[in-house]
């Protein structure tokens, strides 16, 4: 039993000592059985949220209407979710849309895939009502129960299935896959934000191709933002070297670049996915960088403008175009740039205003830009005397 669970054991025993049931559930049990790193340890319980809140001093209501209370224990925090179901005929109460139940079995039944429907007792015993362990061994993503019904209840599960195929390097079981194929259009009803979360995880998975192929074959892509007309490009993307990509910005840059989007189409496309402005900015940098770098080697100003991290990201992506990534060389070239920021210029805007005794205006910004690239390109030394001389020449040229 991994350390993450032993750390949380006292939470389970505390709940149990008050007569309730409590189990480890979901992704953490799956990942432990796969000997993969565990992210968050989720706990399911027969206790209602109000009951959980009475048992622990430090709790946060993160989704009480869905039955989830966050319990803080030392440095750790655990999501504790009351057993719940989505059907309406249980012995229950029904705040909002979920129905709390007192049985683990009902709770496991409403989960998406057999490998995600495993529970574990505090002693480490696995509760496996849907043959999830066998599916883990066979590396299969299989819906719990009837896949058609399950995707009708929540169409996002189709995208989740595809992302688990990529993340875990599993295959999607035949009936589950057929149901995705049949009902892919239901994705239309799902909010973009939820789709984006799953698609990003798919893109970052260890076997991207294992998620992307069925994503294309089942035509799920047709109901994802901005992809409808890009079936052929998506296939090309799928056939790129399958090496895992760890950065979200990098993988989106590679995708959009393979889609051959125009520079003026890129932002609109990424906006459709409701990615954050920060993420969109990073992706744009890499996309422009790729366009440049695929044409010629880096120029000093390219490195200066992109910054080291983005330049290295672009350089890494060259691998997917069958080119060699020269990471160390790029790092060295960057480090050896005369300056790395406009602030490092030996003259400031104020210096120039005083020196030329002119009113501020567009000339000043233009001049600073000229000085900056002259320094970056090694055409002039970054000293006050050299720069004022250079500036004087430039101004008198005009
Ligand atoms: P990750 O490692 O990405 O967190 P996870 O399996 O823990 O994977 P979560 O989204 O954190 O995924 O969900 C936790 C658990 O809740 C899942 O393992 C699954 O049992 C259940 N679950 C999550 N989303 C759904 C859904 N849309 N339909 C049914 N069950 C779901
Ligand atoms: Mg999780």
């Amino acid at each position: 039993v991994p350390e993450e669970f032993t750390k949380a054991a006292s939470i389970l025993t505390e709940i149990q000592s008050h007569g309730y049931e409590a189990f480890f559930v979901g992704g953490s049990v799956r990942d432990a059985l796969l000997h993969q790193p565990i992210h968050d340890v989720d706990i399911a319980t027969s206790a209602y949220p109000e009951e959980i809140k009475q048992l622990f001093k430090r709790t946060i209501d993160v989704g009480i209407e869905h039955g989830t209370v966050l319990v803080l224990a030392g440095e750790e925090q655990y999501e504790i979710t009351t057993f719940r179901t989505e059907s309406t005929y249980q012995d229950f109460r029904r705040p909002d849309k979920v129905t709390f139940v007192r049985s683990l079995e009902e709770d496991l039944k409403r989960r998406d895939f057999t490998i995600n429907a495993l529970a574990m007792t505090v002693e480490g015993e696995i509760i496996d009502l849907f043959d999830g362990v066998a599916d883990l061994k066979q590396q299969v993503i299989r819906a719990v129960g009837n896949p058609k019904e399950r995707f009708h209840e929540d169409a996002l599960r189709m995208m989740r299935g595809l992302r688990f195929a990529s993340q875990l390097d599993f295959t999607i079981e035949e009936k589950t896959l057929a149901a995705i194929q049949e009902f892919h259009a239901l994705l239309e009803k799902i909010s973009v934000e939820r789709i984006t979360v799953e698609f990003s995880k798919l893109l970052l998975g260890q076997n991207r191709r294992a998620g992307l192929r069925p994503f294309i074959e089942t035509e799920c892509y047709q109901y994802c933002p901005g992809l409808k007309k890009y079936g052929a490009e998506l296939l090309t993307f799928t056939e790129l070297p399958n090496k895992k990509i760890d950065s979200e910005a990098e993988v989106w840059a590679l995708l959009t670049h393979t889609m051959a989007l125009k520079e003026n189409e890129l932002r609109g496309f990424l906006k459709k996915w409701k990615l954050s402005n920060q993420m969109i900015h990073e992706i744009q940098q890499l996309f422009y960088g790729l366009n440049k770098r695929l044409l010629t080697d880096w120029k000093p100003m390219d490195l200066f403008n992109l910054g080291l991290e983005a330049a290295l990201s672009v350089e890494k992506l060259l691998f997917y175009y069958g080119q060699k990534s020269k990471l160390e060389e790029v790092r060295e070239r960057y480090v050896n740039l005369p300056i790395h920021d406009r602030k490092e210029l030996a003259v400031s805007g104020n210096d120039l205003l005083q020196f030329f005794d002119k009113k501020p205006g567009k000339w000043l910004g233009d001049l600073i830009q000229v000085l900056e690239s002259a320094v970056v390109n090694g055409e002039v030394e970054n000293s006050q005397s050299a720069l004022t001389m250079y500036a004087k020449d430039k101004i008198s040229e005009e």
Side-chain angles (χ1 to χ4, degrees):
V1 174
E3 176 197 28
E4 287 87 347
F5 293 108
T6 38
K7 256 192 181 167
S10 63
I11 306 265
L12 267 67
T13 44
E14 175 66 17
I15 300 173
Q16 288 168 341
S17 74
H18 289 82
Y20 305 110
E21 290 181 40
F23 300 89
F24 297 116
V25 286
S28 60
V29 179
R30 176 198 69 219
D31 292 340
L33 290 171
L34 289 172
H35 305 290
Q36 294 217 354
I38 292 164
H39 312 291
D40 21 55
V41 168
D42 293 328
I43 297 168
T45 180
S46 59
Y48 292 151
E50 292 303 331
E51 294 166 332
I52 290 296
K53 282 170 71 175
Q54 281 168 20
L55 297 185
F56 298 96
K57 279 202 202 78
R58 295 194 295 146
T59 64
I60 301 175
D61 288 0
V62 283
I64 214 155
E65 68 285 2
H66 300 113
T68 304
V69 174
L70 198 67
V71 170
L72 309 177
E75 306 273 275
E76 307 295 326
Q77 49 183 49
Y78 300 99
E79 277 198 356
I80 304 190
T81 305
T82 304
F83 295 155
R84 52 179 227 222
T85 174
E86 275 148 13
S87 47
T88 47
Y89 48 83
Q90 295 301 317
D91 112 50
F92 41 79
R93 42 177 202 181
R94 218 174 167 240
D96 197 18
K97 273 186 193 142
V98 309
T99 305
F100 296 151
V101 292
R102 294 285 193 182
S103 109
L104 173 68
E105 183 177 346
E106 288 304 317
D107 184 80
L108 295 179
K109 248 197 231 169
R110 60 105 182 154
R111 293 177 183 266
D112 47 7
F113 301 104
T114 60
I115 58 169
N116 289 345
L118 296 164
M120 188 172 79
T121 67
V122 72
E123 291 83 18
E125 188 200 336
I126 298 294
I127 296 159
D128 178 13
L129 304 178
F130 307 101
D131 284 337
V133 172
D135 286 340
L136 275 181
K137 289 209 175 104
Q138 292 178 52
Q139 309 196 308
V140 163
I141 312 284
R142 185 195 312 271
V144 171
N146 180 336
K148 297 186 186 187
E149 287 172 16
R150 304 317 306 284
F151 297 147
H152 267 97
E153 288 167 6
D154 181 359
L156 184 74
R157 290 171 185 155
M158 299 190 281
M159 287 300 292
R160 285 176 58 86
L162 296 163
R163 80 106 150 154
F164 285 118
S166 164
Q167 277 188 319
L168 304 173
D169 187 10
F170 278 24
T171 11
I172 301 175
E173 174 273 331
E174 206 179 318
K175 291 206 179 79
T176 303
L177 187 67
I180 297 178
Q181 176 113 46
E182 188 173 349
F183 296 115
H184 66 273
L186 291 175
L187 281 179
E188 205 169 35
K189 305 194 185 297
I190 301 298
S191 79
V192 169
E193 289 89 340
R194 293 178 80 204
I195 291 182
T196 302
V197 168
E198 301 303 329
F199 190 60
S200 276
K201 287 183 177 177
L202 185 164
L203 291 177
L204 293 169
Q206 57 165 320
N207 187 350
R208 209 165 42 240
R209 198 176 283 162
L212 283 170
R213 280 210 177 125
F215 175 68
I216 300 169
E217 283 160 12
T218 59
E219 299 189 25
C220 279
Y221 77 94
Q222 298 229 348
Y223 290 86
C224 288
L227 290 183
K228 211 172 188 103
K229 292 189 202 138
Y230 286 94
E233 289 81 359
L234 278 173
L235 267 181
T236 308
F237 178 68
T238 303
E239 298 312 318
L240 292 179
N242 204 27
K243 189 164 79 122
K244 182 176 180 349
I245 298 178
D246 295 317
S247 137
E248 196 172 348
E250 285 173 22
V251 81
W252 279 95
L254 187 62
L255 170 67
T256 48
H257 199 268
T258 309
M259 288 168 66
L261 293 184
K262 304 208 177 67
E263 292 199 351
N264 64 7
E265 294 170 331
L266 179 62
R267 190 181 163 74
F269 174 80
L270 297 171
K271 273 273 169 201
K272 282 189 193 159
W273 286 86
K274 305 211 175 163
L275 291 165
S276 71
N277 285 334
Q278 171 62 29
M279 182 56 63
I280 291 178
H281 175 74
E282 283 175 38
I283 298 166
Q284 283 178 311
Q285 293 279 88
L286 301 189
F287 184 98
Y288 302 150
L290 261 177
N291 274 346
K292 288 221 159 111
R293 181 64 181 83
L294 286 168
L295 284 175
T296 69
D297 201 359
W298 295 114
K299 303 212 168 58
M301 270 313 274
D302 299 331
L303 295 174
F304 178 83
N305 285 331
L306 273 178
L308 180 60
E309 219 184 315
L312 288 176
S313 284
V314 172
E315 196 67 29
K316 270 198 257 167
L317 289 176
L318 290 181
F319 165 80
Y320 298 91
Y321 296 83
Q323 297 189 27
K324 241 183 122 178
S325 306
K326 296 183 263 179
L327 297 178
E328 274 324 300
E329 196 182 310
V330 169
R331 186 187 297 277
E332 202 176 309
R333 285 187 61 190
Y334 179 84
V335 169
N336 289 329
L337 289 176
I339 58 170
H340 301 91
D341 194 298
R342 172 166 293 187
K343 284 191 239 119
E344 294 169 35
L345 269 185
V347 294
S348 69
N350 264 330
D351 297 341
L352 294 168
L353 282 177
Q354 284 186 13
F355 185 81
F356 288 107
D357 197 19
K358 280 173 70 167
K359 285 209 185 89
K362 185 172 176 302
W363 69 273
L364 184 61
D366 292 349
L367 181 59
I368 290 175
Q369 190 120 36
V370 166
L371 297 180
E372 177 182 87
S373 59
V375 169
V376 170
N377 288 321
E379 291 156 13
V380 55
E381 191 192 315
N382 186 29
S383 70
Q384 190 147 28
S385 54
L387 285 175
T388 37
M389 286 256 279
Y390 191 87
K392 230 165 96 182
D393 287 350
K394 285 285 156 193
I395 293 279
S396 59
E397 269 171 27
E398 279 164 14

